[in-house]
Amino acid sequence: MFHHPRGRDPQCVLVRTAVPVRVVKSAFLSVWAEFDRLRVVLVAARNPLNIGAAARAMSNFGFRHLRVVSPYEPAFREARSAVGAAALLSNAEEYTSVAEAVADCTLVVGTTAVGKRDLQHPLKRLEQGARIMRKQLGSSRVALLFGSERVGLSNQDLSHCDFLLHIPTHEANISMNLGQAVAVCLYELVRDGKAVQPTQSPKPATAAEIERVTTLLLATLRTSGYLKPHRAVPTEVNVRRLVRRLHLSTRDVEFWLGILRQIIWKMEAGGGPQG
């Protein structure tokens, strides 16, 4: 059974009706509330065994919040019978886009096997990336993205990420099974739970707030004539990456939105700069 969240376009997101979940606190988790802010996001997963294994790994380490983006529905239905993770899968939230799935998160981390891909994001080894994630979890939600078994995360998916996480594997077989990758990443997060400390830095912007800046910046580029129709998609991806690299705070977002609105207003009004 599904319901549409209040205030959202029903074409954008479907959220599964919640079923009570038994919370299992791991011996590793010294600061439970902070780790409960993690959102594990599976994008276009197709294998029910892998989906079930990923959910089982989450249950093993005490993580409760699973989000799935455009899952292969027959596989997802079958995966819900996963041993030890049925309740977690019943509570999984379904979305139709990565943007919707990470909108309430202030840090979005993608995973990749690297291979021959020409990556445009900072790439961090698992242990380094986990330290950054633990610090951010001290004050806000973090999304950890895993791509499909066949092709991983697309460039469009990656454009929503702040950095990419890489599990060091042997070059002869670099790609890990989805369930294994989820388990390894979550173990690295919980094994040093005492490292989670609340941060006193400015409140970081959520993915939704960053997307507002991105959308308005793209509108500014269109109004100025910079954004050409035949280059629209790659430019949009590059602009989104650029904005994410700024690591904006909530206060920064309002400042930049004000600047961009003023620029658009002046261009549409035909006015020049005021000296």
Side-chain angles (χ1 to χ4, degrees):
M1 178 179 180
F2 300 96
H3 70 276
H4 299 296
R6 182 177 300 174
R8 289 187 177 178
D9 185 343
Q11 298 300 317
C12 294
V13 56
L14 292 174
V15 179
R16 183 169 303 280
T17 301
V19 175
V21 176
R22 182 172 64 92
V23 178
V24 180
K25 293 189 179 181
S26 166
F28 294 107
L29 302 182
S30 58
V31 192
W32 167 255
E34 281 80 356
F35 284 109
D36 198 43
R37 295 190 180 112
L38 183 74
R39 300 299 185 263
V40 175
V41 183
L42 306 184
V43 182
R46 295 186 61 86
N47 187 313
L49 296 178
N50 288 339
I51 297 172
R56 179 63 183 269
M58 291 178 62
S59 181
N60 287 151
F61 294 113
F63 292 92
R64 300 187 297 163
H65 303 288
L66 174 64
R67 295 178 175 180
V68 292
V69 177
S70 302
Y72 181 54
E73 187 56 32
F76 192 47
R77 284 198 303 269
E78 184 177 342
R80 290 183 198 126
S81 61
V83 177
L88 191 148
L89 282 165
S90 294
N91 282 269
E93 299 173 341
E94 288 190 58
Y95 296 84
T96 56
S97 71
V98 170
E100 284 282 343
V102 304
D104 59 349
C105 299
T106 61
L107 179 67
V108 182
V109 180
T111 55
T112 179
V114 185
K116 298 180 180 179
R117 299 186 69 166
D118 180 20
L119 300 176
Q120 303 298 316
H121 290 71
L123 180 65
K124 303 181 186 299
R125 278 175 59 107
L126 176 58
E127 63 274 21
Q128 179 187 10
R131 286 195 295 270
I132 298 172
M133 292 172 65
R134 283 195 294 262
K135 181 178 180 180
Q136 193 75 11
L137 285 166
S139 60
S140 56
R141 290 178 179 174
V142 173
L144 179 58
L145 274 60
F146 297 86
S148 71
E149 300 89 333
R150 189 170 61 88
V151 297
L153 295 168
S154 69
N155 287 336
Q156 183 70 22
D157 298 334
L158 294 178
S159 71
H160 295 277
C161 298
D162 295 290
F163 67 83
L164 302 182
L165 203 62
H166 169 56
I167 300 173
T169 52
H170 194 277
E171 60 183 12
N173 191 5
I174 62 173
S175 182
M176 294 184 71
N177 171 275
L178 176 61
Q180 293 174 326
V182 172
V184 170
C185 290
L186 296 185
Y187 171 75
E188 183 63 31
L189 278 174
V190 303
R191 74 180 182 89
D192 188 20
K194 65 180 182 296
V196 177
Q197 297 293 337
T199 176
Q200 300 300 317
S201 57
K203 183 180 179 182
T206 64
E209 290 172 327
I210 292 173
E211 192 66 14
R212 287 173 60 199
V213 174
T214 302
T215 300
L216 198 56
L217 178 55
L218 289 169
T220 305
L221 296 177
R222 291 189 190 95
T223 303
S224 71
Y226 178 85
L227 187 59
K228 307 300 182 183
H230 66 283
R231 292 286 300 166
V233 174
T235 300
E236 178 182 337
V237 169
N238 289 332
V239 168
R240 183 173 287 109
R241 290 172 180 154
L242 172 65
V243 174
R244 282 200 163 275
R245 286 198 295 269
L246 297 177
H247 302 295
L248 300 175
S249 68
T250 296
R251 183 179 298 178
D252 292 336
V253 166
E254 295 305 318
F255 182 69
W256 277 109
L257 290 176
I259 291 175
L260 294 171
R261 290 188 186 111
Q262 180 68 15
I263 292 174
I264 290 177
W265 180 81
K266 290 295 289 185
M267 287 191 294
E268 291 179 341
Q274 296 182 354

